[in-house]
Amino acid sequence: MIYLDNASTTLTKPPEVAEAVTFALKNFGNPSRGFSEPSLLASREIYNTRAEVAGLIGADDPLSVAFTSSATESLNLVIGGLIKQGDVVATTVWEHNSVLRPLYLSGCDLYFIDPHNPDFKVGTKFLVCTHGSNLTGDIVDAVSLHQNCQAKGITMILDIAQTFGTIPVSMDMADIFCFTGHKGLFGPQGTGGIITCGNFDFDIVKTGGAGVNTFATYQTKMMPDFFEVGTPNSHGIYGLQKGVQFVNRIGVDKIHQHETALAQMFYNGIQHLEQIQFYGDMSASDRLPIISLNISNLTSTDLAERLWEGYGIVTRAGGHCAPLLHKQLDTIDRGMVRFSFSYFNTLDEVVRTVDAIKEILKLSE
Amino acid sequence: MEYIITFTSTSFAMKAEKTLIAQKLQVGVLPLPSQISAGCGLCLRIKPKEIQPAMTLLLDAQLGEVGLYSRLMENGRYVYQPVKSIQTPL
């Protein structure tokens, strides 16, 4: 099998990730709910994971990192907790449904900007946008966008599901970050989180046991407890810690360099083929390791099926939960096939995928 | 006699433990005593000779409200006396 669906989930993880999850399953008690060694072991490792994540993004305080089950949950909590009906909110057509649907649900006054040339309406309170498109691999200049927001008093919420661990992400890129653990951070599914830069008055959208203030009728509003009601996924979080440690050890720049080289090699191998249409800015100086395309006489699902059935190549066909960008690119009916590369993919896999596409083209003529 | 340091969140207790251990101070983690606050939570136990450097470190550790109590054993029971409460920046 050649796994090229890493923008969905990285399948190959550093071995210490699974080892950590197994260790945690056997040794962790309930974190924050006791002082026995098993409980404290879990609590301490959750804290250590916060510190690793904070280190990766350059946050001073590990407690500015709260864990959730996914970037989607993070975005729901942040958008649901901050954005009120009627608030003027900017976003982009690049967004995943995990951004769009919570925004629609909020009842805000939503409008769309070009992330490369933003034109903010007067009265805008929030910008919620992705750092990198899960569909095309195009990247937003988040530092510049954030500076623009700061000058206008706009709170910027950045979806870093596709970028954290894959390209450099830093605290000067937004006010609030929503991340996932199972993609570029090589953690288990069911992990993700929120990183805040400053204090925000979130409305309570999730409440329950938090290990403190048992007899109070309200939920504490402090980070990170505010977002972590109920028993956290300490097993997964410990696995995530090992994934983030791996990223910190190898270095995001080196990971990005390797993944970009693979994606570029793949693109170079097929770009001359007239039957292929590529999507996104392929001339950009920096991109995510994502190549999305269509072949002239095939739908995306046809091509993905042939790649899997005939060659064992895993890709992602269809809409990629990015409805507005598909609409803009006129690919609602046929979708696209997305090839997304990881640090653990190899040059040989790229060569075999290029060969497979050429063979499919010949057979479908 | 020993001192008990309290926090408004178990996450703060974990951060404080990490901060103090990194400076080679000896601390233990205990459940927040019911005599101090009803409900759940974690606190730190520390010896008197280390309380001064500990509190100095915690002042800069972004932990919200930090409470300090003395703990004495009297007639087979622990007795807690509030010493002070400090507000650290968040």
Side-chain angles (χ1 to χ4, degrees):
Chain A
M1 179 176 72
I2 299 173
Y3 185 84
L4 300 177
D5 194 19
N6 295 286
S8 298
T9 286
T10 47
L11 181 64
T12 305
K13 315 279 190 189
E16 58 267 31
V17 172
E19 289 163 12
V21 174
T22 304
F23 175 86
L25 280 164
K26 292 177 178 174
N27 293 284
F28 279 12
N30 197 315
S32 306
R33 268 63 168 176
F35 72 109
S36 64
E37 198 50 38
S39 283
L40 287 179
L41 183 60
S43 299
R44 287 172 180 140
E45 292 304 347
I46 288 177
Y47 181 82
N48 290 338
T49 310
R50 296 189 209 283
E52 285 291 340
V53 172
L56 181 58
I57 198 168
D60 293 333
D61 188 359
L63 297 187
S64 62
V65 179
F67 292 113
T68 66
S69 66
S70 61
T72 295
E73 189 190 12
S74 301
L75 287 158
N76 272 271
L77 291 172
V78 169
I79 292 169
L82 280 183
I83 297 177
K84 313 270 189 305
Q85 188 166 14
D87 283 348
V88 181
V89 180
T91 189
T92 81
V93 297
W94 293 19
E95 306 310 317
H96 191 278
N97 272 332
S98 57
V99 168
L100 295 172
R101 287 177 174 166
L103 285 175
Y104 296 147
L105 189 66
S106 75
C108 67
D109 179 3
L110 190 64
Y111 70 98
F112 295 86
I113 58 162
D114 174 353
H116 296 313
N117 187 22
D119 184 14
F120 290 107
K121 284 185 187 175
V122 174
T124 301
K125 290 179 76 172
F126 298 95
L127 167 65
V128 191
C129 70
T130 185
H131 187 199
S133 166
N134 72 314
L135 182 57
T136 62
D138 289 344
I139 296 171
V140 165
D141 180 355
V143 173
S144 162
L145 208 46
H146 188 219
Q147 285 169 352
N148 199 337
C149 284
Q150 284 177 312
K152 294 178 170 63
I154 298 167
T155 299
M156 180 167 165
I157 300 163
L158 194 63
D159 170 10
I160 53 172
Q162 288 297 330
T163 56
F164 205 23
T166 302
I167 61 172
V169 181
S170 52
M171 291 297 276
D172 57 352
M173 291 179 171
D175 299 297
I176 302 171
F177 301 82
C178 297
F179 70 94
T180 187
H182 66 100
K183 300 181 197 279
L185 300 182
F186 300 110
Q189 294 178 357
T191 59
I194 297 163
I195 305 166
T196 55
C197 184
N199 295 313
F200 300 91
D201 188 20
F202 290 100
D203 276 351
I204 293 173
V205 289
K206 186 179 172 184
T207 190
V212 291
N213 294 332
T214 301
F215 298 103
T217 54
Y218 54 87
Q219 171 68 35
T220 173
K221 278 203 165 188
M222 285 174 298
M223 275 289 282
D225 305 36
F226 181 64
F227 292 116
E228 295 184 350
V229 292
T231 300
N233 175 15
S234 60
H235 307 138
I237 291 169
Y238 189 41
L240 173 63
Q241 180 191 131
K242 299 302 173 186
V244 179
Q245 273 175 359
F246 174 83
V247 173
N248 278 325
R249 191 169 68 247
I250 300 296
V252 173
D253 287 335
K254 189 174 173 188
I255 289 171
H256 182 42
Q257 197 177 15
H258 176 76
E259 293 177 349
T260 300
L262 293 177
Q264 190 64 44
M265 197 168 294
F266 174 63
Y267 177 67
N268 290 343
I270 54 175
Q271 66 156 327
H272 60 285
L273 301 170
E274 285 178 1
Q275 305 95 316
I276 300 181
Q277 181 176 4
F278 297 94
Y279 301 93
D281 183 2
M282 307 310 291
S283 65
S285 58
D286 203 11
R287 297 177 40 76
L288 293 176
I290 289 173
I291 306 289
S292 288
L293 56 83
N294 272 315
I295 288 178
S296 53
N297 56 352
L298 292 177
T299 64
S300 65
T301 47
D302 279 351
L303 177 55
E305 185 181 331
R306 287 174 202 208
L307 285 164
W308 171 241
E309 303 269 329
Y311 307 92
I313 297 170
V314 182
T315 60
R316 177 60 70 92
H320 313 86
C321 295
L324 301 182
L325 193 49
H326 272 288
K327 189 175 178 185
Q328 186 178 75
L329 297 169
D330 196 23
T331 49
I332 287 179
D333 292 338
R334 63 191 310 209
M336 290 180 202
V337 182
R338 182 183 68 189
F339 299 76
S340 51
F341 299 85
S342 152
Y343 187 72
F344 291 103
N345 286 124
T346 64
L347 175 62
D348 177 63
E349 289 177 327
V350 172
V351 170
R352 285 158 58 196
T353 305
V354 167
D355 290 344
I357 289 177
K358 288 177 178 172
E359 196 167 285
I360 290 170
L361 276 174
K362 266 190 190 169
L363 292 172
S364 62
E365 275 175 358
Chain B
M1 202 261 283
E2 58 189 357
Y3 285 103
I4 298 296
I5 308 172
T6 65
F7 309 91
T8 53
S9 138
T10 55
S11 300
F12 290 156
M14 288 297 101
K15 184 181 185 185
E17 184 199 25
K18 188 98 177 165
T19 302
L20 299 181
I21 286 175
Q23 297 304 315
K24 312 272 190 245
L25 297 178
Q26 291 192 345
V27 295
V29 181
L30 294 177
L32 182 64
S34 302
Q35 297 95 319
I36 293 177
S37 176
C40 308
L42 296 175
C43 63
L44 299 185
R45 175 178 60 190
I46 190 162
K47 290 188 166 52
K49 65 176 182 178
E50 296 191 322
I51 192 63
Q52 196 61 44
M55 293 305 280
T56 304
L57 284 165
L58 296 184
L59 259 177
D60 293 327
Q62 295 175 283
L63 295 164
E65 188 183 346
V66 176
L68 179 64
Y69 295 79
S70 63
R71 174 161 96 160
L72 280 169
M73 179 72 83
E74 286 182 5
N75 302 322
R77 290 187 179 185
Y78 284 121
V79 176
Y80 297 86
Q81 291 293 337
V83 177
K84 64 177 171 180
S85 170
I86 56 172
Q87 189 67 41
T88 71
L90 279 176

